[in-house]
Amino acid sequence: MKVLVTGGLGYIGSHTCVELSKKYSVVIADNLINSKIEVLERLNSIAHSKVIFEKIDLRNKKEVAFLFEKHGDISGIIHFAALKAVGESVEKPLLYYENNINSLLNILEQVQQRNSKINFIFSSSCTVYGQPIKLPITEEEPVKKAFSPYGETKQICENILSASSKLNKYLRSISLRYFNPIGAHESAMIGELPLGKPQNLIPYITQSVAGVREKLTIFGDDYDTPDGTCIRDYIHVTDLADAHIKALEYLIEKEFSTNEVFNIGTGKGTSVLEIINAFESSTGKKISYKIGKRRKGDVDATYADNKKALKSLSWSPKYSLEQALESAWNWEKNYRKIK
Ligand code: NAD
Ligand code: UDP
């Protein structure tokens, strides 16, 4: 079975390709807007079967049509490709709407023209829940007004996919709402590779410990949490990758068209200060930090109720927080050739 992975050279996509390659033939479509071509070689050095790469800009209808013509035997699609920087999306909303929404529409237009079953997984995010009413967050939590154009594109894309699945009897789809993916493949050959200054906590920590960035600033310690710093649900990227395989298998078994959503998180909340302690104890490295102002748009606490995924997808996270943090550091060391 051939699976198309859009954005497969990115952080989560590359880890998912490694897991997919154990059983499926994998085609990546990526335009390298937020990834480097060197990831392909790294990925293929640990993949179980060779992954094919097509340099395609998914905003371009003609290129997408060419992709589907060339790989007409695709029966699964995992759609990771999107721009994902919340702050940038506030500054350049049109870029985000254009990229994230048109890419999905162009793919669905091709899917619509086929007369065979297609299994589709969309990368959504816990940002769709905004400030949660109840913790842990179940899939029943209402989707709230998005804080940013990025978050809004996730909501719109979920809706587009749902509408399309209702009309197309061949389409089976799932939106996976990720919590906070962290860490790297155990080989340390692939990992999170942000272009420019990392916006996320873990790559900022590993780069600051590696001496590439200034000391970490904790964005606020006056939140309504036990130690005052924000709480998130951090999940090892390999566990997240595995959730995609399980979701694909779930859809393959489905006889009729469907559209479902699943939370993918560990179910455990961890504060920024707890992350710092866990990183120091699992790697033996000290993190220098200072307390700064709150970052706009951050919610106090968010973590998943993952029971639906555990039950229906027969998926469960295997890695601990310490293992995830250690793998993130091993990747940083390997990439920068630090002893
Ligand atoms: P990433 O930026 O590392 O990977 C995305 C990939 O998509 C990149 O390789 C980029 O070049 C490619 N891409 C973007 N626009 C494209 C286009 N028009 N045509 C072709 N390729 C294009 O991001 P990631 O962290 O791996 O995230 C993957 C998906 O998961 C995204 O949809 C993101 O919104 C979602 N997500 C990520 C997180 C997170 O914390 N990383 C959390 C929730 C959801
Ligand atoms: N954070 C921080 N300093 C940083 C980056 C992030 O204190 O340099 C905090 C951020 O305020 C949030 C948590 O770390 O409370 C996780 O942030 P990240 O951007 O990794 O993920 P988010 O939950 O925003 O998607």
Side-chain angles (χ1 to χ4, degrees):
M1 179 177 160
K2 194 183 264 186
V3 181
L4 169 66
V5 182
T6 75
L9 291 187
Y11 173 44
I12 308 169
S14 57
H15 287 81
T16 304
C17 287
V18 174
E19 302 309 310
L20 273 173
S21 70
K22 289 178 184 163
K23 211 167 148 189
Y24 302 97
S25 146
V26 179
V27 179
I28 291 177
D30 201 305
N31 67 350
L32 302 170
I33 195 168
N34 198 38
S35 50
K36 293 184 176 168
I37 192 64
E38 69 178 92
V39 174
L40 181 63
E41 205 176 310
R42 291 174 162 275
L43 168 54
N44 268 324
S45 75
I46 51 173
H48 303 258
S49 57
K50 195 169 184 290
V51 166
I52 296 167
F53 172 61
E54 303 285 359
K55 188 163 185 286
I56 298 279
D57 186 340
L58 296 159
R59 289 172 300 185
N60 184 316
K61 264 180 197 275
K62 281 198 185 131
E63 289 185 29
V64 177
F66 161 80
L67 177 72
F68 276 80
E69 207 175 298
K70 186 165 172 193
H71 300 283
D73 50 346
I74 288 165
S75 53
I77 300 174
I78 307 185
H79 182 44
F80 290 105
L83 293 172
K84 63 164 184 179
V86 175
E88 186 186 50
S89 80
V90 176
E91 280 151 32
K92 300 176 183 166
L94 297 189
L95 175 69
Y96 273 67
Y97 292 124
E98 195 224 352
N99 191 74
N100 295 0
I101 298 171
N102 284 354
S103 295
L104 177 66
L105 288 174
N106 288 342
I107 296 167
L108 288 178
E109 188 181 313
Q110 292 301 317
V111 167
Q112 204 79 11
Q113 290 171 18
R114 294 164 40 114
N115 294 323
S116 58
K117 191 174 153 181
I118 194 103
N119 305 298
F120 195 108
I121 296 165
F122 173 64
S123 294
S124 191
S125 165
C126 64
T127 54
V128 300
Y129 298 120
Q131 177 80 51
I133 297 167
K134 216 172 115 225
L135 286 168
I137 303 176
T138 70
E139 289 83 355
E140 304 303 314
E141 174 84 20
V143 166
K144 290 178 214 72
K145 188 174 162 32
F147 279 139
S148 68
Y150 165 73
E152 202 176 352
T153 67
K154 291 294 165 197
Q155 299 181 351
I156 295 170
C157 286
E158 279 197 9
N159 292 341
I160 292 172
L161 193 55
S162 161
S164 190
S165 304
K166 279 189 191 122
L167 291 173
N168 184 344
K169 65 176 178 182
Y170 296 111
L171 181 59
R172 286 116 177 90
S173 62
I174 283 180
S175 289
L176 294 180
R177 292 176 176 164
Y178 313 156
F179 281 68
N180 290 53
I182 60 164
H185 190 262
E186 59 186 7
S187 64
M189 286 303 289
I190 54 170
E192 196 164 4
L193 192 52
L195 305 181
K197 185 177 164 189
Q199 306 297 314
N200 297 111
L201 180 63
I202 308 305
Y204 196 94
I205 288 178
T206 56
Q207 289 196 10
S208 76
V209 172
V212 186
R213 302 283 160 200
E214 311 222 310
K215 67 162 71 160
L216 170 75
T217 300
I218 296 183
F219 298 144
D221 67 348
D222 56 353
Y223 283 95
D224 186 16
T225 60
D227 66 22
T229 63
C230 290
I231 290 177
R232 297 287 180 271
D233 183 338
Y234 296 92
I235 178 162
H236 195 301
V237 67
T238 302
D239 280 329
L240 177 59
D242 183 45
H244 291 80
I245 316 296
K246 297 285 173 18
L248 193 61
E249 284 164 0
Y250 175 82
L251 289 178
I252 291 168
E253 295 298 315
K254 284 269 165 202
E255 208 173 325
F256 301 106
S257 180
T258 185
N259 173 254
E260 296 183 46
V261 297
F262 290 95
N263 286 341
I264 304 295
T266 63
K268 192 174 172 291
T270 307
S271 73
V272 178
L273 284 171
E274 285 170 336
I275 285 286
I276 291 173
N277 286 335
F279 184 91
E280 291 184 342
S281 66
S282 59
T283 63
K285 292 282 166 190
K286 196 99 198 92
I287 299 173
S288 311
Y289 67 86
K290 60 178 184 200
I291 306 292
K293 285 197 299 227
R294 287 183 176 205
R295 183 173 68 176
K296 222 172 145 207
D298 273 340
V299 298
D300 300 44
T302 160
Y303 51 95
D305 180 322
N306 60 9
K307 285 195 202 74
K308 188 177 172 199
L310 297 187
K311 187 163 177 272
S312 302
L313 303 182
S314 308
W315 165 83
S316 62
K318 307 222 163 16
Y319 292 92
S320 67
L321 178 67
E322 285 72 18
Q323 286 172 313
L325 293 169
E326 198 184 354
S327 72
W329 175 236
N330 286 342
W331 154 246
E332 192 74 55
K333 273 195 304 187
N334 190 33
Y335 189 70
R336 297 192 189 278
K337 302 189 171 47
I338 298 170
K339 287 282 169 239

